[in-house]
Amino acid sequence: MGRLQRDHSPDTTPVSTFAQVLYRHGALMSFVAFGLWLIQGGAALDDAFYAVGQRPSLFLFAFLIILGGFIGYLKWRRYNFSGSQWLWIGYLFYISVVEEVAFRLYLPAALESQFGLVAAVVTSNLIFGLIHYFTLRWKFSHCVLTALGGIGLSRLLAQSGDLGLVILVHFVATFLNTPRPPEGSARVD
């Protein structure tokens, strides 16, 4: 069992392979982000990525520095590099983009008119944490921390106005949380 997963029950199966993570987590988050993008009409993306558009070389440089740090960390921990490790890192970046667009940009905007800004941000991040509970079978305490981390990312977005920066911070946090893909052959106790 992965360190972030709760024990499975007789009625459920654990999420113990990369394919299961893609299916249960990646597909749902992609669907949510795309649906919210359609509802919002694609609005706000240009403004949110304005800083990236103004200095794309800085964003690319930061991305490459982060990748270098990931490689150093994996070598330091003596983790094996394989194709699945690179795919996992690619997935972590992808999911960072998708989750930030959905839960820091579009969902709070969709909820703001009904709840006000602060409640919309809190609600969006509570949903963000709960989705991880069900899709990845995380322990509840980790989902609470995920929701709180999301609130922190929302604050960073509000202060910086730079979704690219927020995505990179999310990318690093997600990697440090789960640096290797799930092991398909891991035993379930």
Side-chain angles (χ1 to χ4, degrees), residues 41-80:
L45 272 182
D46 289 342
D47 290 342
F49 285 109
Y50 179 78
V52 173
Q54 290 299 108
R55 296 176 44 183
S57 57
L58 179 62
F59 182 83
L60 178 62
F61 180 70
F63 180 80
L64 293 173
I65 293 294
I66 289 168
L67 283 181
F70 290 178
I71 292 167
Y73 175 82
L74 292 167
K75 286 185 181 241
W76 173 67
R77 296 294 308 261
R78 299 175 202 236
Y79 291 146
N80 187 20

Side-chain angles (χ1 to χ4, degrees), residues 3-46:
R3 69 182 176 87
L4 293 176
Q5 295 173 334
R6 65 187 191 272
D7 291 334
H8 69 284
S9 69
D11 300 329
T12 61
T13 58
V15 180
S16 58
T17 67
F18 191 173
Q20 288 172 322
V21 171
L22 287 172
Y23 171 72
R24 291 180 60 101
H25 181 251
L28 177 64
M29 293 301 194
S30 297
F31 178 77
V32 168
F34 184 69
L36 288 166
W37 176 78
L38 286 175
I39 290 168
Q40 297 290 324
L45 272 182
D46 289 342

